[in-house]
């Protein structure tokens, strides 16, 4: 049986530093060295999964091949590793507590007082090691959501501390992603937020092994040495993670910092040299293509671009594959619906239109008006889930002359051309119940 290595990626100072991209980048670097790698996301929210969460709060729901509704970071994992994720690659506090409470009601704990430690932490560790039990991975990277100091994340961090102790020093490590902010008025990078974040981790009982420092400016050797001194970390293990023009450039930037070499050294792993030729070629194409194609994206959650993350990334990939740069034009269906903008004025300069998935009747008529213009002007169109349903409604109304055609989701009419599937009509629990193929419609 393989001696699986565990890498835990945690975050500090502020959220949205890019833990998902960092985890995916490390996974790619290790895979490029011939190692078998997978990544899992540990989310601290109490929802069972993000399937019923608003995309304006959480971003898109990424649905895996086995039907799990998961965090959008799993999309990054798949795109970087070029491997399918599964329900075992995502867990939430809601899932953990649901499982533990179910076991308690069944009597599995034989009358014991059920507590966070050991019962919740044991369940977290069990789920982390599910991937190891498949006996196929050299390295398992676990990204823990939230920020050091959050109450919600504490059970995951405690389970991580225990598991690192269980498997031993050379079989596990913690990479802590922090912010080194630049204070413009002082003209300085400040290390204090990172120091405090590491202090918080130490209070939990975890000494980070590597610091990944997000910054707008390069970290000097002196600054790295200062961070290392105050955080009990070797200077070489303080890695700068600078802002990049494209997220696909991040693995190459981290490779230049010897990030993967330091990880392998600490885990005592021997591997071949990395092969990043094809990845580098794609990155160069993304950065250098000059011909521009404008594509419209019509949705109602445009205020949060992460709501359509996989769609956005797919256009980047498609552009690189076709030697063009795709310029996305965001079209708010509600603006068109309310008459604040005419469809023809908004759409006249686009070469194609994608109408996004969604849920509920808000903005629907705006999508239908948009699709009508596209059909009549023979502009390439692609509708995903609700986007395609709107296309069916538009065609029924304006080509088939079925006045007031609609979906039963929005309005009961004489011509309901879209209806819920028979086997779903009796479903009361929404999470995981309404899905078109591999695409969640809980948006």
């Amino acid at each position: 049986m393989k001696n699986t290595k565990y890498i835990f990626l945690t975050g500090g100072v502020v959220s949205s530093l890019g833990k998902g991209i960092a985890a995916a980048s490390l996974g790619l670097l290790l895979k490029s060295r011939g190692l078998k790698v997978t990544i899992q996301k540990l989310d601290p929210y109490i929802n069972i999964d993000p399937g019923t969460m608003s995309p304006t709060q959480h971003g898109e729901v990424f649905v895996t091949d086995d039907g799990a509704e998961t965090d959008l970071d799993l999309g990054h994992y798949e795109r970087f590793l070029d491997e399918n994720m599964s329900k075992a690659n995502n867990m939430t506090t809601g899932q953990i507590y649901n499982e533990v409470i179910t076991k308690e009601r069944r009597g599995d704990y034989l009358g014991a007082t059920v507590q966070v430690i050991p019962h919740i932490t044991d369940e977290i560790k069990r789920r982390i090691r599910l991937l190891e039990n498949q006996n196929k991975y050299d390295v398992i990277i676990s990204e823990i959501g939230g920020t050091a100091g959050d109450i919600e994340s504490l059970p995951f961090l405690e389970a991580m501390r225990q598991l690192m102790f269980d498997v031993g020093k050379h079989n596990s490590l913690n990479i802590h992603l922090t912010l080194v902010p630049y204070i413009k008025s002082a003209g300085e990078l400040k290390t204090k937020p990172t120091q405090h974040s590491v202090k918080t981790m130490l209070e939990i009982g975890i000494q980070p092994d590597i610091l990944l420092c997000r910054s707008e400016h390069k970290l000097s050797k002196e600054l790295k040495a200062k961070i290392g001194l105050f955080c009990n970390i070797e200077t070489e293990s303080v890695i700068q993670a600078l802002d990049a023009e494209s997220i696909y450039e991040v693995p190459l930037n981290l490779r230049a910092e010897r990030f993967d070499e330091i990880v392998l050294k600490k885990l005592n792993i021997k591997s071949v040299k990395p092969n990043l030729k094809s990845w580098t070629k794609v990155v160069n194409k993304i950065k250098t293509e000059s011909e521009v194609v404008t594509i419209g994206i019509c949705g109602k959650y445009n205020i949060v671009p992460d709501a359509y993350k996989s769609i956005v990334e797919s256009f980047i990939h498609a552009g690189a594959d076709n030697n063009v740069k795709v310029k996305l034009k965001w079209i708010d269906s509600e603006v068109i619906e309310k008459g604040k903008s005419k469809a023809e004025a908004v759409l006249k300069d686009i070469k194609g239109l994608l109408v996004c998935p969604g849920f509920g009747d808000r903005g629907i008529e705006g999508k239908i008006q948009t699709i009508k213009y596209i059909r009549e002007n023979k502009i390439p169109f692609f509708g995903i889930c609700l986007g395609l349903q709107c296309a069916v409604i538009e065609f029924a109304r304006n080509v088939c002359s079925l006045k007031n055609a609609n979906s039963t989701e929005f309005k009961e009419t004489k011509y309901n051309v879209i209806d819920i599937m028979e086997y779903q009509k009796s479903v009361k629990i929404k999470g995981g119940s309404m899905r078109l193929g591999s695409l969640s419609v809980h948006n």
Side-chain angles (χ1 to χ4, degrees):
M1 188 171 182
K2 287 183 178 178
N3 184 23
T4 302
K5 308 286 186 176
Y6 287 89
I7 298 173
F8 294 93
L9 187 70
T10 55
V13 185
V14 295
S15 59
S16 301
L17 287 180
K19 290 193 301 295
I21 299 299
S25 296
L26 177 58
L28 169 66
L29 291 173
L30 296 180
K31 182 180 178 181
S32 74
R33 290 174 169 273
L35 298 173
K36 292 186 177 180
V37 184
T38 193
I39 314 173
Q40 58 185 180
K41 178 72 181 290
L42 284 57
D43 278 310
Y45 49 74
I46 300 176
N47 303 67
I48 295 293
D49 59 44
T52 56
M53 294 167 68
S54 168
T56 57
Q57 290 188 24
H58 189 73
E60 75 171 9
V61 177
F62 188 85
V63 183
T64 58
D65 277 357
D66 60 356
E69 295 179 333
T70 69
D71 185 81
L72 64 84
D73 277 335
L74 271 75
H76 291 311
Y77 304 162
E78 286 201 2
R79 286 186 285 271
F80 278 61
L81 289 181
D82 193 24
E83 293 184 13
N84 291 336
M85 299 292 110
S86 70
K87 61 183 180 181
N89 292 87
N90 192 202
M91 75 174 85
T92 69
T93 292
Q95 291 172 5
I96 300 301
Y97 272 85
N98 186 54
E99 180 67 21
V100 169
I101 290 170
T102 298
K103 288 181 178 179
E104 185 274 333
R105 292 289 84 188
R106 264 200 322 252
D108 291 10
Y109 297 119
L110 302 177
T113 301
V114 179
Q115 298 174 292
V116 173
I117 303 173
H119 301 97
I120 296 299
T121 51
D122 281 354
E123 178 61 21
I124 294 171
K125 289 193 292 182
R126 184 188 73 81
R127 291 192 176 216
I128 291 173
R129 302 193 80 158
L130 278 177
L131 294 169
E132 176 190 1
N133 294 336
Q134 294 176 5
N135 193 27
K136 60 187 290 190
Y137 297 112
D138 299 302
V139 179
I140 296 174
I141 302 171
S142 297
E143 175 198 346
I144 298 179
T147 307
D150 292 349
I151 292 174
E152 295 91 341
S153 301
L154 285 175
F156 289 107
L157 294 174
E158 171 58 20
M160 162 189 153
R161 185 195 67 78
Q162 292 180 19
L163 186 54
M164 291 178 72
F165 182 79
D166 293 341
V167 301
K169 185 68 176 175
H170 292 295
N171 292 319
S172 63
L173 60 81
N174 169 229
I175 299 170
H176 194 53
L177 176 63
T178 70
L179 177 68
V180 179
Y182 178 75
I183 308 302
K184 188 175 181 180
S185 60
E188 291 181 320
L189 288 166
K190 292 297 183 181
T191 67
K192 191 64 73 175
T194 292
Q195 293 178 43
H196 279 296
S197 186
V198 172
K199 182 180 178 182
T200 299
M201 294 292 287
L202 289 169
E203 289 172 352
I204 299 169
I206 300 166
Q207 167 65 62
D209 299 284
I210 296 173
L211 282 180
L212 202 54
C213 301
R214 279 296 307 273
S215 179
E216 298 175 2
H217 298 270
K218 289 185 177 182
L219 274 60
S220 65
K221 291 182 180 179
E222 292 77 16
L223 201 67
K224 288 183 178 181
K226 179 181 177 181
I227 293 172
L229 176 64
F230 286 104
C231 296
N232 305 319
I233 295 173
E234 312 95 323
T235 302
E236 73 164 8
S237 297
V238 179
I239 310 293
Q240 67 178 8
L242 298 176
D243 293 349
E245 183 180 337
S246 165
I247 60 172
Y248 301 105
E249 198 175 358
V250 174
L252 303 180
N253 292 347
L254 294 177
R255 170 69 191 125
E257 290 287 306
R258 299 180 51 249
F259 182 39
D260 50 330
E261 291 179 32
I262 294 166
V263 168
L264 294 173
K265 179 181 176 182
K266 288 182 177 291
L267 290 175
N268 195 27
I269 297 176
K270 293 182 180 180
S271 71
V272 299
K273 291 183 178 180
N275 181 358
L276 294 166
K277 289 181 180 179
S278 59
W279 190 268
T280 303
K281 182 178 179 180
V282 171
V283 171
N284 289 337
K285 290 181 71 173
I286 290 173
K287 292 177 64 178
T288 59
E289 297 304 340
S290 56
E291 185 181 348
V292 176
V293 174
T294 301
I295 301 294
I297 296 185
C298 182
K300 56 183 178 179
Y301 309 126
N302 299 5
I303 193 172
V304 181
D306 275 356
Y308 305 119
K309 191 64 178 175
S310 290
I311 292 172
V312 172
E313 298 305 316
S314 70
F315 277 119
I316 294 174
H317 294 198
D321 195 51
N322 288 278
N323 301 311
V324 297
K325 187 179 290 293
V326 179
K327 178 183 177 183
L328 299 179
K329 183 172 184 178
W330 294 94
I331 299 161
D332 191 327
S333 61
E334 284 192 277
V335 171
I336 293 177
E337 181 174 298
K338 294 174 182 178
K340 294 180 180 179
S341 294
K342 295 291 185 180
E344 54 266 29
V346 176
L347 303 170
K348 62 182 180 181
D349 60 342
I350 66 170
K351 301 299 182 183
L353 177 74
L354 183 145
V355 179
C356 298
F359 187 78
D361 61 359
R362 181 170 57 86
I364 293 302
E365 293 302 323
K367 290 186 176 185
I368 292 172
Q369 290 176 42
T370 301
I371 293 168
K372 181 175 184 291
Y373 177 87
I374 290 296
R375 178 181 56 77
E376 291 177 343
N377 289 274
K378 296 180 171 55
I379 297 172
F381 161 80
F382 182 40
I384 299 179
C385 199
L386 186 61
L388 183 58
Q389 293 179 33
C390 289
V392 172
I393 294 170
E394 189 280 326
F395 192 87
R397 289 181 185 178
N398 300 311
V399 178
C400 301
S401 300
L402 301 178
K403 189 178 179 181
N404 298 322
N406 217 314
S407 166
T408 53
E409 179 185 346
F410 312 132
K411 187 178 181 180
E412 287 287 343
T413 73
K414 184 178 180 180
Y415 302 113
N416 283 126
V417 292
I418 303 291
D419 194 14
I420 191 170
M421 289 182 281
E422 282 297 324
Y423 79 91
Q424 291 183 338
K425 289 183 177 180
S426 61
V427 174
K428 303 298 182 183
I429 303 298
K430 291 184 177 181
S433 65
M434 297 178 67
R435 186 178 295 111
L436 184 63
S438 297
L439 181 68
S440 167
V441 298
H442 281 305
N443 297 319

